[in-house]
Amino acid sequence: MNLQSYNDQDLVKLYITGNENGLQELLRRHKSKIYTSIYLLVKDQYLAEDIFQDAFIKVINTLRSGRYNEEGKFLPWVMRIAHNLVIDYFRKEKRTPIITSSDGMDVFNMLHFYDESAEEKMLRDQTHKDLKAMIQLLPDEQKEVLLMRHYADLSFKEIADLTEVSINTALGRMRYALSNLRKMLKTKEMTYKG
C-alpha cells in the first residue's frame, strides 16, 4: 500500500481505524516542519525533541479518544498543539526577557548595582506578578506574539512564519497586546488611587 499518495485526512482515518502506518506516514511527512518550528522557539535541541514528543503524545491521545475533528487541517492542528506546549514551557519557567547592552552584558543585572531595599524588592516582585497576570488576560493571538517576541526572542518574521500569518498581522497583534496591557495598567493605577 503506497501511503504517500494519501492525503493527511485519509492517513488520520487509517490510523484511527487501527493501522499504525497512517501515523508513521504523517510523522514522516511533517516531522521536520513541526520540530523546526519548536526549535526556533526554544533554541535547544533536547528541549525541542522533548516538546515534539509531548506534542505527538497529545496527538495520539486525541486521535485514539475520537476527539479529533479538524477536517483536513492536520498540520496546523499539530502546530497549534506544539506552540501551546512551548508557551506552557515558557510560562512554567517564568523566563524573563534578557536585554543585552552593546558589550553583551545583561541590562537587568547591571541595574542591580545598588542594594535593593525589602520594600523595593516587594514592589518589583508584585509588578512582575501583576504583569504576568495581565498577560494571561490577553486574547490568545496577542499573548502568543508577546511571549514569542519577548520571552522566546523571535523576530516578527519568525513569529509570522510560525503562526502562519503575515508580518503585518503579527505586528498588529503585538501593537494590540501592548495597547491592552497599557489600558489594564491604567485601570489598575486608578484602582489604587481611588
Side-chain angles (χ1 to χ4, degrees):
M1 170 159 48
N2 181 10
L3 296 179
Q4 291 179 355
S5 62
Y6 281 50
N7 67 29
D8 287 358
Q9 199 56 34
D10 292 336
L11 291 169
V12 167
K13 284 180 187 148
L14 201 62
Y15 176 70
I16 289 172
T17 57
N19 187 333
E20 295 286 326
N21 294 331
L23 185 67
Q24 285 177 349
E25 175 59 22
L26 285 165
L27 248 170
R28 186 200 63 74
R29 194 176 284 183
H30 300 300
K31 181 179 184 193
S32 74
K33 185 171 186 175
I34 298 163
Y35 172 82
T36 303
S37 79
I38 296 168
Y39 179 78
L40 281 171
L41 287 168
V42 298
K43 294 178 172 64
D44 176 304
Q45 177 188 345
Y46 301 108
L47 179 59
E49 286 169 11
D50 284 351
I51 292 174
F52 177 83
Q53 285 176 348
D54 289 348
F56 261 87
I57 289 168
K58 270 194 157 176
V59 166
I60 289 167
N61 290 339
T62 304
L63 292 176
R64 283 189 177 154
S65 69
R67 288 174 309 181
Y68 175 76
N69 60 0
E70 305 282 325
E71 287 297 315
K73 294 186 179 80
F74 179 77
L75 182 60
W77 174 65
V78 178
M79 295 289 264
R80 217 169 32 249
I81 289 172
H83 289 157
N84 289 341
L85 288 171
V86 168
I87 288 169
D88 289 348
Y89 165 77
F90 282 119
R91 215 178 272 145
K92 220 170 23 210
E93 290 297 304
K94 293 190 174 73
R95 292 271 220 34
T96 52
I98 295 171
I99 302 169
T100 51
S101 62
S102 56
D103 60 356
M105 294 285 289
D106 180 350
V107 173
F108 284 123
N109 287 343
M110 288 165 53
L111 294 175
H112 298 291
F113 52 81
Y114 66 94
D115 285 337
E116 196 173 35
S117 73
E119 188 181 333
E120 287 166 329
K121 184 185 180 328
M122 248 174 57
L123 191 62
R124 184 173 49 85
D125 290 348
Q126 187 59 47
T127 305
H128 281 249
K129 243 171 69 184
D130 290 348
L131 185 59
K132 283 188 179 99
M134 286 178 202
I135 290 171
Q136 295 309 313
L137 298 173
L138 291 172
D140 287 344
E141 297 95 22
Q142 293 173 25
K143 190 181 343 178
E144 184 177 43
V145 171
L146 188 79
L147 290 170
M148 286 180 179
R149 182 77 187 113
H150 287 289
Y151 293 94
D153 200 28
L154 293 181
S155 71
F156 282 106
K157 165 97 177 81
E158 289 170 315
I159 294 169
D161 290 346
L162 286 169
T163 55
E164 297 178 336
V165 297
S166 70
I167 290 179
N168 284 341
T169 301
L171 286 166
R173 288 177 179 174
M174 185 63 162
R175 247 192 329 273
Y176 284 122
L178 295 174
S179 167
N180 284 333
L181 285 174
R182 269 188 219 103
K183 285 178 195 159
M184 286 185 233
L185 280 168
K186 271 195 180 125
T187 307
K188 196 160 188 57
E189 283 170 17
M190 304 279 250
T191 309
Y192 286 143
K193 286 177 187 163

